[in-house]
Amino acid sequence: MAETERENIRESTLEGLDAAARKGNHGGRPPVITDDMLHTVLRRRANGETVEDIQPDLLIPTGRRKGQNPSLSSIYRALAEHEKTQVYPEAVETAHADFAALQQRDRSPK
């Protein structure tokens, strides 16, 4: 009996998450490093500055740490993710296309 109840709860949760995703709502924390911050870091690094020099000038715009500086590890992580998208742009485009196809399939009348 308990297993059946647990399975029902699990299915309801997954259906709710799927419905939210179709509406464009995704859970999780807001990103610490925004696109604007990343572009600032990239531009300043191209001018020869180090991440340690750039970090005090950046401020987190939202969330619990709003108004504070992001950690160095957050900046380095964002730079690494950015490098992945630059190295494998076709993989990113394929992933976006696959996601769009899935969304279209889910929206189509059954």
Side-chain angles (χ1 to χ4, degrees), residues 33-73:
I33 305 295
T34 62
D35 289 340
D36 290 339
M37 291 169 72
L38 179 62
H39 291 296
T40 299
V41 171
L42 291 170
R43 181 176 40 81
R44 289 179 64 179
R45 284 202 54 189
N47 290 335
E49 292 184 63
T50 65
V51 173
E52 290 80 6
D53 294 336
I54 301 167
Q55 184 248 355
D57 298 334
L58 302 175
L59 293 177
I60 298 172
T62 60
R64 187 180 68 192
R65 294 190 55 216
K66 179 178 180 178
Q68 297 179 11
N69 304 105
S71 67
L72 291 174
S73 61

Side-chain angles (χ1 to χ4, degrees), residues 15-26:
E15 288 173 7
L17 290 173
D18 186 46
R22 277 185 267 138
K23 292 178 183 176
N25 298 327
H26 300 280

Side-chain angles (χ1 to χ4, degrees), residues 83-104:
E83 288 298 319
K84 284 182 191 175
T85 61
Q86 299 304 308
V87 173
Y88 304 109
E90 66 281 348
V92 173
E93 290 174 16
T94 303
H96 285 295
D98 291 346
F99 182 70
L102 285 172
Q103 284 185 322
Q104 288 295 335

